[in-house]
Amino acid sequence: MQIDPHKCVACGNCIPVCPMGAIYIDPAIRRATINYDECVECSTCYRGMSQEHLNPVMVRAIRRLAKMFRFRFEPEPDVCPTAAFVMEELAWPRTVRRVFSDPLVEHKSTGIHGRGTEEVKTNDVAHRVSVGEAGYVIEFGRPGVGVRFRDIQKVTRELARAGIGFEPKNPITHLMSSPSTGDLQPDLLNEKILSAIVEIKTELGRVPEVLEIIDRMSKQVDTVIAVGVSTRCDENGEEKALSALLDEHGYSFHRAKTNLGLGRATNREQKPEGTSDQHLAPVR
Ligand code: SF4
Ligand code: SF4
């Protein structure tokens, strides 16, 4: 994303709109400017504000005149009065920023918008997580924080070292140069995105071990990590094994979602178990 300095009138309306705090008024040029390294190409500034197409010379003159008479001319707060934002064509590897940060952009590897994962919400028909298994969604970053791929790699490497495989349909797995080692493509490592999800699954008994790895690695990365752990419920909609494990190892958790038959029906035989139950176990 760029701001055209010939159009910007430095009204500052766009500054609070950016979820990464990447826009600032540069005092040297007296125009809004984007910190290119921090911008995650989410397009919120471009799409989230009305573009007024007023003449910049006229707006600047009115603002100067208003200042002389000690009153302020400010456009509506959700408006860029001069349509100064310019959405650039991106080149690799910067393209990944937009794919992972702009919810309207489709992820080519999965055909899904945004971070590009169906997670385990469709487990009732996808059967990705079976009885006796735990599925994990490990979510990196948040608006205001973001995440660089090098920090995701720190965690994926550690999981791979423990012999844990990655969900092949997940976009982060697609960007790995070596899923067996958890290595991501080297030219991506400095790219910053709003958030991403890594998906894995293990036998149920390994839940404490996996959470310990994530807990330990979360202290070595410059971002925030949230973990969802899912398992299948029994035919009564109950689940005890995962709750007991989390409880035993001191994780306070919340039964967060019980998804009933989300996703398209498949021809595969439905398993007798009921729904998929996701717990959120905060990393301490
Ligand atoms: S809203 Fe538009 S004119 Fe105002 S500071 Fe931002 S880019 Fe410049
Ligand atoms: S594209 Fe997103 S991150 Fe970049 S400047 Fe605009 S709002 Fe901020």
Side-chain angles (χ1 to χ4, degrees), residues 94 124 135 140 199 267:
R94 197 168 174 94
D124 288 339
F140 297 79
E199 291 169 274
N267 292 330

CSV table of all heavy atoms in Angstrom, one decimal, residues 94 124 135 140 199 267:
chain,number,residue,atom,x,y,z
A,94,ARG,N,6.4,-10.5,-1.1
A,94,ARG,CA,5.5,-9.6,-0.4
A,94,ARG,C,4.0,-10.0,-0.6
A,94,ARG,O,3.2,-9.6,0.2
A,94,ARG,CB,5.7,-8.1,-0.8
A,94,ARG,CG,5.1,-7.1,0.2
A,94,ARG,CD,5.6,-5.7,0.0
A,94,ARG,NE,4.8,-4.8,0.9
A,94,ARG,CZ,5.2,-4.5,2.1
A,94,ARG,NH1,6.4,-4.8,2.6
A,94,ARG,NH2,4.5,-3.7,2.9
A,124,ASP,N,-16.8,-32.7,11.3
A,124,ASP,CA,-17.9,-33.7,11.2
A,124,ASP,C,-18.0,-34.4,9.9
A,124,ASP,O,-18.4,-35.5,9.8
A,124,ASP,CB,-19.2,-33.0,11.5
A,124,ASP,CG,-19.3,-32.7,13.0
A,124,ASP,OD1,-18.6,-33.3,13.8
A,124,ASP,OD2,-20.1,-31.8,13.4
A,135,GLY,N,-6.8,-32.6,17.6
A,135,GLY,CA,-6.4,-31.6,16.5
A,135,GLY,C,-6.1,-30.3,17.1
A,135,GLY,O,-6.7,-29.9,18.1
A,140,PHE,N,-1.1,-17.7,15.3
A,140,PHE,CA,0.0,-16.7,15.5
A,140,PHE,C,-0.5,-15.3,15.2
A,140,PHE,O,-1.0,-15.1,14.1
A,140,PHE,CB,1.2,-17.0,14.7
A,140,PHE,CG,1.9,-18.3,15.0
A,140,PHE,CD1,1.4,-19.5,14.5
A,140,PHE,CD2,3.0,-18.4,15.7
A,140,PHE,CE1,2.0,-20.7,14.7
A,140,PHE,CE2,3.7,-19.6,16.0
A,140,PHE,CZ,3.1,-20.8,15.5
A,199,GLU,N,-1.8,-26.0,11.6
A,199,GLU,CA,-2.6,-27.1,12.1
A,199,GLU,C,-1.9,-28.4,12.1
A,199,GLU,O,-1.1,-28.8,11.2
A,199,GLU,CB,-3.8,-27.3,11.1
A,199,GLU,CG,-4.8,-26.1,11.1
A,199,GLU,CD,-5.7,-26.2,10.0
A,199,GLU,OE1,-5.4,-25.7,8.9
A,199,GLU,OE2,-6.8,-26.9,10.1
A,267,ASN,N,-19.6,-38.3,0.6
A,267,ASN,CA,-20.1,-39.6,0.4
A,267,ASN,C,-19.6,-40.6,1.4
A,267,ASN,O,-20.0,-41.7,1.5
A,267,ASN,CB,-19.8,-40.1,-1.0
A,267,ASN,CG,-20.6,-39.3,-2.0
A,267,ASN,OD1,-21.7,-38.9,-1.7
A,267,ASN,ND2,-20.0,-39.2,-3.2
